[in-house]
Amino acid sequence: MTIQSRQASDSHSAVPPVERPSAKAHVIKADAEAIAVAEKLAAEFARDASKRDRERIWPKEELDAFSQSGLWSINVPKAYGGPELSYVTLSKVITIISAADPSLGQIPQNHLGVVAAIRTVSDEAQKKLLFAEVLSGTRFGNAFSEFGSKRAADFETKFVDAGDHVVVNGQKFYSSGALLAHLVPIVALDDEGRAWYAIADRGAPGLTVIDDWSSFGQKTTLSGTVLLDNVKVPKTHLVPGYKGYDRPTADGAIFQIIQAAVDLGIAKAAIDETVGFVRTKSRAWIDSGVDHAWQDPYTIQAIGDLRLRTNAAEAVLERAGLAVDRAVADPNEKTVAEAQIAVAESKILTTEIAIIATNKLFELAGTRSTLAEHNLDRHWRNARTHTLHDPVRWKYAILGNYYLNDVNPPLHAWS
């Protein structure tokens, strides 16, 4: 694929909007097709993943292929022309893509979450309008989080009513996917303090996306600062997101299960790199009495342990997907809490194996695995960065309160 790069001189500059696709996106027909498409794309994405990370090259053509493949519309309901595939399948798709390039795996997270929210809270006219956009290949970015607020859910961005549209003002950060999005859902408060998704055109006057994402991991998630200066958003694109959390719905669990799938993909990639390096490049330890690193009994044990933990995390993630499916089909206090708990359990296990596997890579592969030419540290950097999205220490607290005190998890996008 043609690689497109931003030069250092362009750093921290405003980025112009990207053109919409000229052809309609493919529509996936079945779960097996989604997995097959994901595997084909992953093989292509993996080729230059290290180069993109090393040089912070935007995955523009890869992203176009990804969103045109039909994988970005797999949770659009069948009633509106979508595949409405299982969240088990959706999680597998994200895991497969993330094993190839976790930045590409993370970019559609908020897109898919907003699609789920539209299903939950929008009226019929809005569903028809916005789902048609998604099925055509339109990409949602995000402008949710804010850098200086006291807590993640404290928003200072607001909108005012202006007749057939609203006017949004504020500033956002951690805006994954916004740089190359077609539409940018902005979390903004109304005059009652309720949070809505104001879905603005990426090229709307007053909407500026700045390329200033400087994290040491997940370098090409197309994130950065979003400035909102009297941005007009038609009311047709004003989605009452708060309604997804004023009663039990699966919306929060859906946002979370995608995060868990990204971490599982990072772990799988790190273990594959470890096995490949030990088999071809690592030397046997002087006291081992063996000729090859792959014959070392301690290394053999460690690889077995990593695979076991990964298989356990994958099984729990699948269980979580089934629980989310049940909560989507029949949202009530019981099914939603069960989905939240199952997803929290998967988030704990995928976080832990991502961190363990990316650490063990160097321990088992040896000193030469740290050489810059291999860029294997990208796996640890990606794991360490992405797993910070929401702390697992609070997942343990949610689980303990649920199992010990019959307290359901809170209803928000981080639970």
Side-chain angles (χ1 to χ4, degrees):
M1 288 186 175
T2 301
I3 300 297
Q4 300 198 10
S5 178
R6 298 283 292 175
Q7 300 301 315
S9 60
D10 291 330
S11 180
H12 294 196
S13 60
V15 178
V18 66
E19 292 183 4
R20 302 250 185 149
S22 57
K24 288 196 68 172
H26 175 65
V27 177
I28 300 285
K29 299 294 190 298
D31 296 81
E33 182 190 0
I35 300 300
V37 169
E39 289 175 342
K40 181 177 183 296
L41 288 173
E44 297 169 1
F45 296 167
R47 290 194 197 107
D48 292 312
S50 179
K51 181 179 176 67
R52 288 193 296 272
D53 169 85
R54 190 194 304 275
E55 301 177 21
R56 195 170 179 269
I57 297 168
W58 293 2
K60 185 178 185 303
E61 292 194 7
E62 290 81 1
L63 188 64
D64 286 343
F66 191 8
S67 58
Q68 286 293 101
S69 71
L71 293 177
W72 285 49
S73 65
I74 58 177
N75 60 339
V76 172
K78 290 181 179 178
Y80 301 90
E84 196 172 357
L85 301 185
S86 164
Y87 278 94
V88 173
T89 297
L90 186 149
S91 299
K92 288 180 179 178
V93 164
I94 297 298
T95 298
I96 291 166
I97 297 296
S98 297
D101 183 339
S103 286
L104 277 164
Q106 184 181 349
I107 291 171
Q109 190 255 347
N110 291 296
H111 170 101
L112 295 167
V114 170
V115 169
I118 292 167
R119 172 179 180 153
T120 301
V121 304
S122 293
D123 61 25
E124 285 301 306
Q126 191 170 69
K127 288 178 184 178
K128 289 178 181 178
L129 175 67
L130 296 179
F131 287 151
E133 288 265 28
V134 174
L135 289 167
S136 73
T138 296
R139 293 193 295 262
F140 295 152
N142 97 86
F144 296 174
S145 298
E146 299 177 8
F147 192 76
S149 56
K150 185 178 289 187
R151 288 171 294 269
D154 294 338
F155 301 112
E156 296 178 2
T157 300
K158 297 178 181 178
F159 69 83
V160 295
D161 194 316
D164 62 352
H165 65 277
V166 298
V167 178
V168 187
N169 283 281
Q171 182 170 329
K172 299 290 186 174
F173 194 58
Y174 305 115
S175 303
S176 303
L179 284 170
L180 298 182
H182 304 124
L183 293 174
V184 180
I186 305 159
V187 173
L189 305 181
D190 63 14
D191 56 8
E192 297 181 40
R194 301 175 302 184
W196 298 65
Y197 299 116
I199 303 179
D201 189 276
R202 174 64 177 78
L207 194 159
T208 303
V209 185
I210 299 174
D211 179 23
D212 61 352
W213 178 239
S214 62
S215 173
F216 61 61
Q218 295 296 92
K219 288 184 177 182
T220 57
T221 54
L222 306 174
S223 188
T225 295
V226 177
L227 304 177
L228 306 159
D229 181 14
N230 291 320
V231 176
K232 294 182 179 180
V233 177
K235 286 185 176 176
T236 55
H237 286 60
L238 186 63
V239 178
Y242 69 91
K243 291 183 179 180
Y245 303 103
D246 63 3
R247 66 188 190 281
T249 78
D251 284 10
I254 290 169
F255 275 108
Q256 285 292 297
I257 197 170
I258 301 170
Q259 303 286 11
V262 172
D263 295 333
L264 180 61
I266 294 172
K268 282 174 166 275
I271 295 170
D272 287 345
E273 293 269 26
T274 305
V275 169
F277 208 95
V278 169
R279 292 283 306 180
T280 60
K281 298 182 180 65
S282 299
R283 295 185 296 180
W285 182 240
I286 55 175
D287 297 324
S288 66
V290 298
D291 295 328
H292 305 284
W294 46 266
Q295 296 171 317
D296 185 321
Y298 296 112
T299 299
I300 291 171
Q301 184 274 337
I303 294 295
D305 179 70
L306 290 173
R307 289 293 191 192
L308 172 64
R309 292 173 185 266
T310 304
N311 290 342
E314 190 166 23
V316 173
L317 182 64
E318 182 168 338
R319 175 175 173 268
L322 292 170
V324 171
D325 287 337
R326 290 192 292 271
V328 170
D330 181 21
N332 58 63
E333 187 173 347
K334 182 176 184 294
T335 59
V336 168
E338 288 174 348
Q340 290 177 293
I341 290 298
V343 171
E345 291 171 342
S346 73
K347 185 67 168 64
I348 289 171
L349 294 185
T350 56
T351 290
E352 290 180 349
I353 188 55
I355 298 299
I356 292 169
T358 54
N359 273 324
K360 281 284 185 180
L361 192 166
F362 304 102
E363 177 186 334
L364 299 177
T367 306
R368 68 181 64 184
S369 67
T370 68
L371 297 178
E373 65 194 74
H374 303 304
N375 196 30
L376 295 179
D377 60 295
R378 75 184 187 277
H379 299 293
W380 181 87
R381 289 186 283 102
N382 289 332
R384 186 63 284 174
T385 299
H386 187 263
T387 55
L388 295 174
H389 186 274
D390 43 276
V392 295
R393 64 185 181 275
W394 278 93
K395 302 301 184 189
Y396 279 109
I398 286 172
L399 297 183
N401 238 352
Y402 178 80
Y403 289 123
L404 181 63
N405 299 317
D406 295 322
V407 176
N408 287 342
L411 294 171
H412 53 60
W414 297 268
S415 174

